[in-house]
Each structure stands twice: as structure tokens, then as C-alpha cells.
């Protein structure tokens, strides 16, 4: 079973400490959500897990081996999906998916029908050959998500997937795939500011605050921890309030 171990992990950006001395172990067979407000260090931690950033100090171990950006074998076990994927304007969704499969060495392992089924499920067949510049943000995200699902790596890393601009159909399908991946032994780590999403779509919740881990455990144990920690309780109340404000703002803009 895949395991990622963080040992005394610290990351500085622009002279500021974004992550401070984190010790954690993430094990396969789990969907783990990083929960926290803006600036809590969620995206930076995901970048480190994905091999995009090197820690300033400490280390990341992938199955007891140091995670190295230049180690192709390690990188092919991990797929990082940013909140706003960068796609070439003239590239089509199908082009991107084929490109991703080639990068991960999966072209002979994934049959065409699998890709077609995913594109149909996410309502992308009609735009499969359209340039990405003509697609909505949600459609571009679906293209990159389908690529991740087709590759099916050992480690799935997603930054704010539930605010990706996808329609309810896409969000529902994605939630199902994330939870299924955990059941199949994959390690799934994603970030969110939405407490309700964290509670409904996870096996474990890691709360980040002030660049450190404020709590780590199941959703049920998280609430128990909040009941015994005024600071954590205030943080969760703030996040719930921010979520309500986000929903209100979206309703006003409709």
C-alpha cells in the first residue's frame, strides 16, 4: 500500500514560512482532505506532495524513499491536478488526454473505450475535438480530470476540485471516483475550504492553520476535537461562515 511520510517539513516562499515543521503520514486506501482558509498552506503542501516544490527543510518519503523531482518512476506514480489547469489554447481535450497517457506510459494499458466512456460520463464527447480556448473553465477541468482517471495513478492530488467550475453532473461523478479510488487502495489528497465537503467526501481530514497541522483524523473525531479546542472550533465556524458567504455571492451573481 502506498505511503507518503512528511518529516519535519518546512517550506519558505519569498522569505516567509508557508509550512512549518509538519510531521504526517498519508497511507493508501484513504481519501484525505486538506481543510483550511486561504493562506493556510494547502496548495504549497500539495505542490510538495506532487513533486513540484522541494521543501526548504525536512523531507518527503514515498514508500520510504525520498521523493525527488527528477525521479521519473516516482513522478509517474503521482498525478497533480491544479485548481486551474494550464492547457494550450489550440489543444483539444482528446489531444490532452492522449498526451497525459503518453507521459505516464499508459497508452498500451488504457483502451480507447475507457476514455470514450469517461468522456461520455462527463458530457465531453461533443467538445472532444474543440480547441481548449473555446471551452469553459469547467470543461477544461473535466478534460484534465478525465486524463487523471484514465491514468489511474497510485497517488491522486487535487487542488480545490469542488470549486473547479464543473457542473453538478461532473462534481457528483468526481466525488464518486475519488471515494472509489480510496476503496481500491489509492491515496487521494485534495484541498478545500468547505467544511461540509470535507466531512462528506473523505476518510480523513487534515486541518491546516497558521501553516501547521491543527487537527488530523476522521470527520467525527474532528468535531470532537473542535468541541475540546476553542481555537479549532473558531476556525471551523469561520470556514462555515465563509462557505455561506460564497454561496450567497454565487446566488447574487446568477
Amino acid at each position: 500500500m502506498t505511503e507518503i511520510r512528511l518529516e519535519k517539513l518546512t517550506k519558505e516562499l519569498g522569505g516567509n514560512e508557508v509550512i512549518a515543521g509538519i510531521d504526517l503520514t498519508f497511507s493508501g486506501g484513504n481519501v484525505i482532505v486538506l481543510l483550511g482558509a486561504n493562506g493556510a498552506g494547502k496548495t504549497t503542501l500539495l505542490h510538495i506532495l506532487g513533486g513540484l516544490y522541494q521543501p526548504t527543510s525536512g523531507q518527503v518519503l514515498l514508500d520510504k524513499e525520498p521523493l525527488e523531482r527528477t525521479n521519473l518512476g516516482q513522478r509517474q506514480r503521482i498525478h497533480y491536478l491544479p485548481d486551474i489547469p494550464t492547457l494550450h489554447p489550440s489543444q483539444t481535450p482528446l489531444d490532452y488526454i492522449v498526451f497525459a497517457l503518453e507521459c505516464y506510459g499508459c497508452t498500451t494499458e488504457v483502451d480507447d473505450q475507457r476514455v470514450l466512456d469517461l468522456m461520455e460520463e462527463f458530457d465531453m464527447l461533443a467538445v472532444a475535438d474543440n480547441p481548449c480556448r473555446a471551452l469553459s473553465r469547467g470543461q477544461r477541468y473535466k478534460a484534465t480530470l478525465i486524463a487523471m482517471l484514465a491514468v489511474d495513478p497510485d497517488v491522486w492530488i487535487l487542488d480545490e476540485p469542488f470549486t473547479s467550475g464543473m457542473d453538478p453532473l461532473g462534481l457528483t461523478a468526481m466525488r464518486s471516483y475519488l471515494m472509489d479510488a480510496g476503496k481500491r487502495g489509492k491515496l487521494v489528497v485534495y484541498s478545500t475550504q468547505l467544511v461540509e465537503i470535507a466531512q462528506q467526501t473523505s476518510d480523513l481530514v487534515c486541518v491546516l492553520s497558521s501553516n501547521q497541522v491543527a487537527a488530523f483524523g476522521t470527520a467525527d473525531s474532528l468535531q470532537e476535537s473542535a468541541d475540546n479546542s476553542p481555537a479549532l472550533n473558531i476556525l471551523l465556524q469561520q470556514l462555515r461562515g465563509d462557505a455561506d458567504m460564497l454561496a450567497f455571492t454565487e446566488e447574487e451573481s446568477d
Side-chain angles (χ1 to χ4, degrees), residues 154-227:
D154 293 335
V155 182
W156 302 22
I157 299 176
L158 306 92
D159 193 5
E160 299 283 358
F162 289 96
T163 56
S164 57
M166 286 197 297
D167 53 41
L169 173 70
L171 292 173
T172 299
M174 178 182 66
R175 177 184 283 113
S176 177
Y177 276 108
L178 294 184
M179 297 306 294
D180 177 69
K183 293 176 181 176
R184 291 187 293 110
K186 306 293 183 177
L187 173 55
V188 180
V189 186
Y190 75 92
S191 64
T192 187
Q193 299 181 56
L194 307 176
V195 177
E196 182 177 341
I197 289 294
Q199 291 175 324
Q200 294 178 352
T201 312
S202 70
D203 297 303
L204 296 167
V205 181
C206 178
V207 182
L208 294 179
S209 179
S210 301
N211 311 323
Q212 296 180 324
V213 177
F216 183 48
T218 65
D220 290 340
S221 67
L222 174 64
Q223 188 55 58
E224 292 176 5
S225 298
D227 291 340

Side-chain angles (χ1 to χ4, degrees), residues 21 34 36 110 116 125 186 198 211 219 223 232 237 245-246:
L34 304 182
V110 180
L116 290 174
L125 282 178
K186 306 293 183 177
N211 311 323
Q223 188 55 58
L232 179 58
Q237 288 181 1
M245 183 58 70
L246 175 62

Side-chain angles (χ1 to χ4, degrees), residues 11 55 78 89 107 128 131 155 229:
K11 180 63 180 178
I78 300 170
T107 50
V155 182
S229 171

Side-chain angles (χ1 to χ4, degrees), residues 38-193:
N38 286 333
K42 302 187 302 296
T43 296
T44 299
L45 182 53
L46 291 180
H47 281 171
I48 293 173
L49 294 175
L52 303 179
Y53 283 172
Q54 288 282 62
T56 303
S57 63
Q59 64 178 346
V60 180
L61 302 177
L62 174 61
D63 291 339
K64 300 181 181 181
E65 296 291 333
L67 180 61
E68 302 287 347
R69 294 182 62 186
T70 56
N71 188 320
L72 181 60
Q74 289 181 329
R75 293 295 295 274
Q76 288 183 326
R77 296 182 60 195
I78 300 170
H79 198 304
Y80 172 75
L81 183 52
D83 58 339
I84 303 178
T86 301
L87 301 175
H88 192 281
S90 63
Q91 195 174 36
T92 69
L94 197 54
D95 288 337
Y96 176 80
I97 294 166
V98 171
F99 170 72
L101 292 173
E102 290 175 346
C103 288
Y104 280 83
C106 298
T107 50
T108 59
E109 300 174 9
V110 180
D111 60 37
D112 294 343
Q113 191 59 50
R114 166 68 172 161
V115 173
L116 290 174
D117 289 345
L118 286 168
M119 297 197 77
E120 181 177 16
E121 182 174 8
F122 283 90
D123 194 26
M124 288 290 288
L125 282 178
V127 296
D129 292 319
N130 291 5
C132 286
R133 61 173 172 268
L135 303 182
S136 69
R137 177 190 173 192
Q139 288 172 325
R140 292 194 297 272
Y141 193 89
K142 284 181 180 181
T144 56
L145 176 62
I146 290 169
M148 172 181 277
L149 297 177
V151 169
D152 196 23
D154 293 335
V155 182
W156 302 22
I157 299 176
L158 306 92
D159 193 5
E160 299 283 358
F162 289 96
T163 56
S164 57
M166 286 197 297
D167 53 41
L169 173 70
L171 292 173
T172 299
M174 178 182 66
R175 177 184 283 113
S176 177
Y177 276 108
L178 294 184
M179 297 306 294
D180 177 69
K183 293 176 181 176
R184 291 187 293 110
K186 306 293 183 177
L187 173 55
V188 180
V189 186
Y190 75 92
S191 64
T192 187
Q193 299 181 56

